[in-house]
Amino acid sequence: MSDNNDLNIPEEVEIQEQDLNEMLKIRRAKLAALQESGSDPFLHVKYEVSISSAEIHKNFDELEGKEVSLGGRMMTKRLMGKASFCDLQDRDGRIQVYLRKNDLGEEVYEEFKHFDVGDIIGVKGIIFKTQKDEISIRASEIVLLTKSLQMLPEKWHGLKDQELRYRQRYVDLIVNSEVKDTFLKRSLIIKSIRKFLDNRGYIEVETPVLQQIYGGANARPFATHHNTLDIEMFLRIALELPLKRLIVGGLEKVYEIGRVFRNEGMSIKHNPEFTMLELYEAFTDYHGMMELTESMIRTVCQEVLGGTLVKFGDVELEFGKPFERITMVDAVKKYTGVDFNSINTLEEAQEIAKKHEIHFEKRHGKGDILNLFFEEYAEKNLIQPTFLLDHPIEISPLTKKKPDNPEYTERFELFFCGREYANAYSELNDPIDQRKRFEHQEALRAAGDAEANMIDEDFILSLEYGMPPTGGLGIGIDRLVMMLTNSYSIRDVIFFPTMKGQ
């Protein structure tokens, strides 16, 4: 160890008076001096950590007086002559470290005085409480494990620095404990979902991300080229069709939690790549999926949040009560007075749309116009958890028709706070009908609808082998996490959201 008095490096108080560039130069000078003296902090490969800060705070009565070792980032430093304090932050929180020259020895204590806020340190010492009743570590050892060459922001100004927070998520996580809590909660939510489905006998599977034919949703794909095969390929826009092939194969209950990619606009609700849960269960229908969806979300709330009353923005959502149910036709009638059950022709639908200033395109059928009415007038009013039922066939190309009303399908979406969080069907398993639906989608593509489905001949072939009656469900994990963590934007729950180039 070298005598840092020979390094000719200003003390922390003097550093604060320098401009940022000068401060960064000083940090690099400190690193260079350490390396020249044979004390390169980047050569440390391991440090034995015996406990976390949270465990110490939780179990202080049992741990008081015991020696422990911790590793983490130094977030504050307060020099007080022959005794000093610093705060060590690890994954679970912070703990104060008390350092005395008599305990560490003069050489180590002088080295510590030249440590910087942001440095990664290892500390060994005895657990105790200070005179101010703060749980702390009385250090017998402190080691510089990694030198931080950048300055941490003194204050993180939230929305004011929103773009920088998303671009430098690593800094956001260091200085903003609420952000870290959100992502830890995200992990618990996904773990709870897996546990729920595993307990119901589902099998978790993986399906291809690169596909020659994309399908399972109305969305534009990201395209790429496979050089060896000399073919165009697409990043998947949904998980649906490969999972349903596995139902044909007899797996009966399957789910996947994975990334999907849609080449579409960005907003507080949309990111081009996001995480989806899709599951399929043989021998059930969309009523079975409603029960599963309601039970799963209620269970996740209880396990992760400790209850079923969830605050999202200014709204309190109650997931403990049975979810409301309403058909799309009834929702439109409730909020506009227009009853699509009494509209018999496309022309009538177009006329009523013009009266309500609903913009439609030539390719739109009666069911498309019903959906436009819902999106314009009814969707925003679905605040408490609500299953929206029985979508028109025009917007549901993979869904079974209702036996008593073939213009509509056995489909639901789950809404709350005016947003859609889940989508589920009684899955179409008639290969002849499926081919007709695909052909209709192809016609829409030819007419300029870039989001319409392609014909997937292999999927039709799989249906010809026979798929049992099946219920399927898709949930956007990111949106669900937004709700359960009371987050405003989807970017707040994705570690590294898509950003414009700098």
Side-chain angles (χ1 to χ4, degrees):
M1 289 285 185
S2 66
D3 185 348
N4 280 303
N5 291 325
D6 296 335
L7 301 181
N8 196 27
I9 297 172
E11 292 293 337
E12 190 75 20
V13 174
E14 297 174 316
I15 293 175
Q16 296 298 327
E17 298 173 357
Q18 310 293 328
D19 63 24
L20 179 60
N21 288 335
E22 187 63 26
M23 291 179 187
L24 298 179
K25 289 178 182 178
I26 290 170
R27 290 196 176 213
R28 281 163 172 74
K30 288 182 178 182
L31 174 63
L34 288 168
Q35 291 171 331
E36 288 173 7
S37 69
S39 302
D40 189 344
F42 294 116
L43 293 182
H44 287 283
V45 294
K46 185 178 181 181
Y47 190 81
E48 292 291 343
V49 173
S50 66
I51 200 166
S52 71
S53 61
E55 289 175 298
I56 294 173
H57 285 290
K58 182 179 179 181
N59 302 301
F60 173 77
D61 290 341
E62 293 81 23
L63 294 172
E64 184 177 11
K66 294 186 178 179
E67 185 178 72
V68 294
S69 59
L70 297 90
R73 189 178 299 272
M74 188 169 71
M75 299 301 293
T76 65
K77 187 175 80 166
R78 303 176 295 284
L79 299 179
M80 302 169 64
K82 295 182 179 181
S84 300
F85 292 91
C86 70
D87 284 338
L88 180 149
Q89 177 173 290
D90 59 14
R91 190 191 75 170
D92 297 324
R94 290 192 186 188
I95 192 163
Q96 179 174 265
V97 180
Y98 175 56
L99 307 107
R100 293 197 334 155
K101 180 187 290 188
N102 290 346
D103 294 332
L104 296 172
E106 184 173 351
E107 182 178 356
V108 173
Y109 188 72
E110 285 300 316
E111 290 171 357
F112 161 73
K113 289 168 64 175
H114 292 287
F115 289 5
D116 291 307
V117 169
D119 287 350
I120 308 295
I121 59 175
V123 172
K124 182 182 291 185
I126 302 297
I127 299 171
F128 80 111
K129 274 188 181 179
T130 65
Q131 291 180 345
K132 293 183 178 180
D133 211 33
E134 182 170 354
I135 296 173
S136 305
I137 305 295
R138 180 169 179 163
S140 59
E141 172 185 282
I142 186 165
V143 180
L144 179 62
L145 301 175
T146 300
K147 185 68 189 165
S148 175
L149 301 179
Q150 289 287 335
M151 303 290 296
L152 290 179
E154 292 183 11
K155 294 183 180 179
W156 201 247
H157 297 292
L159 295 177
K160 185 177 178 181
D161 297 306
Q162 189 176 56
E163 183 170 327
L164 184 61
R165 286 179 52 215
Y166 297 147
R167 290 187 185 279
Q168 298 183 2
R169 181 68 82 190
Y170 39 90
V171 180
D172 195 17
L173 290 166
I174 293 169
V175 301
N176 191 334
S177 61
E178 292 80 10
V179 171
K180 184 184 290 186
D181 289 343
T182 292
F183 284 103
L184 292 176
K185 195 168 290 182
R186 177 189 174 107
S187 177
L188 293 175
I189 290 165
I190 295 173
K191 185 181 295 185
S192 180
I193 290 171
R194 282 195 165 101
K195 176 183 170 185
F196 178 89
L197 294 174
D198 292 345
N199 288 341
R200 287 206 172 194
Y202 277 78
I203 301 169
E204 185 173 9
V205 298
E206 294 177 313
T207 61
V209 174
L210 281 174
Q211 302 175 346
Q212 288 183 252
I213 297 175
Y214 62 90
N218 292 95
R220 297 187 184 192
F222 288 93
T224 187
H225 187 81
H226 192 292
N227 292 332
T228 301
L229 297 178
D230 193 24
I231 56 173
E232 187 176 38
M233 300 193 79
F234 306 94
L235 294 177
R236 63 188 180 190
I237 61 172
L239 313 175
E240 181 167 351
L241 301 187
L243 291 175
K244 283 156 76 168
R245 287 174 169 93
L246 299 180
I247 295 293
V248 172
L251 294 187
E252 295 190 358
K253 290 184 177 183
V254 295
Y255 76 94
E256 181 173 6
I257 298 174
R259 287 291 215 196
V260 296
F261 307 84
R262 297 182 183 177
N263 199 348
E264 57 189 16
M266 295 165 58
S267 71
I268 62 170
K269 297 186 291 183
H270 296 93
N271 194 68
E273 60 171 310
F274 57 98
T275 303
M276 280 286 293
L277 160 69
E278 289 202 35
L279 62 89
Y280 295 87
E281 179 177 341
F283 310 113
T284 190
D285 62 3
Y286 76 144
H287 293 289
M289 291 295 102
M290 274 185 266
E291 182 280 322
L292 183 145
T293 303
E294 188 170 335
S295 296
M296 180 168 65
I297 292 178
R298 184 172 297 131
T299 298
V300 171
C301 288
Q302 291 169 335
E303 290 187 352
V304 177
L305 304 180
T308 58
L309 192 64
V310 178
K311 187 171 178 60
F312 185 55
D314 297 328
V315 179
E316 283 193 340
L317 299 168
E318 178 53 80
F319 290 94
K321 297 178 181 179
F323 295 2
E324 297 178 22
R325 302 187 183 197
I326 189 171
T327 67
M328 183 179 286
V329 169
D330 287 343
V332 169
K333 183 178 179 181
K334 179 177 181 179
Y335 294 107
T336 69
V338 176
D339 185 1
F340 269 76
N341 282 332
S342 64
I343 296 175
N344 298 313
T345 66
L346 174 59
E347 291 73 21
E348 291 175 12
Q350 291 173 336
E351 283 302 313
I352 199 73
K354 291 175 184 177
K355 290 179 182 179
H356 285 76
E357 299 182 344
I358 296 289
H359 173 72
F360 60 89
E361 299 178 19
K362 185 177 180 181
R363 61 185 173 83
H364 284 149
K366 174 186 166 186
D368 294 300
I369 294 174
L370 167 63
N371 187 52
L372 293 172
F373 264 88
F374 170 76
E375 291 177 342
E376 180 66 26
Y377 291 106
E379 182 175 5
K380 60 190 175 186
N381 293 295
L382 304 183
I383 304 302
Q384 290 300 319
T386 302
F387 288 124
L388 180 78
L389 311 177
D390 303 349
H391 296 51
I393 194 169
E394 290 92 335
I395 62 169
S396 309
L398 297 163
T399 314
K400 274 192 174 183
K401 300 174 185 175
K402 290 185 69 66
D404 58 344
N405 193 348
E407 290 186 7
Y408 298 93
T409 61
E410 294 192 343
R411 175 183 174 187
F412 75 79
E413 292 176 295
L414 174 62
F415 283 85
F416 39 87
C417 290
R419 297 181 183 179
E420 178 255 320
Y421 285 83
N423 188 19
Y425 316 148
S426 296
E427 302 295 334
L428 179 61
N429 61 346
D430 178 347
I432 298 172
D433 190 4
Q434 183 65 81
R435 179 176 291 281
K436 291 178 182 178
R437 307 269 194 103
F438 276 152
E439 288 172 349
H440 175 68
Q441 290 286 304
E442 277 288 308
L444 293 178
R445 285 175 63 81
D449 185 355
E451 295 186 353
N453 282 211
M454 305 169 73
I455 294 179
D456 189 331
E457 293 289 352
D458 182 75
F459 178 66
I460 295 173
L461 177 62
S462 73
L463 294 183
E464 290 179 349
Y465 279 93
M467 185 175 82
T470 297
L473 168 68
I475 293 179
I477 293 293
D478 308 295
R479 287 191 185 181
L480 183 64
V481 173
M482 285 172 62
M483 183 273 296
L484 293 178
T485 59
N486 198 11
S487 298
Y488 173 74
S489 169
I490 195 170
R491 294 183 177 189
D492 295 328
V493 300
I494 296 175
F495 272 126
F496 305 106
T498 303
M499 304 290 291
K500 292 180 182 179
Q502 288 183 292

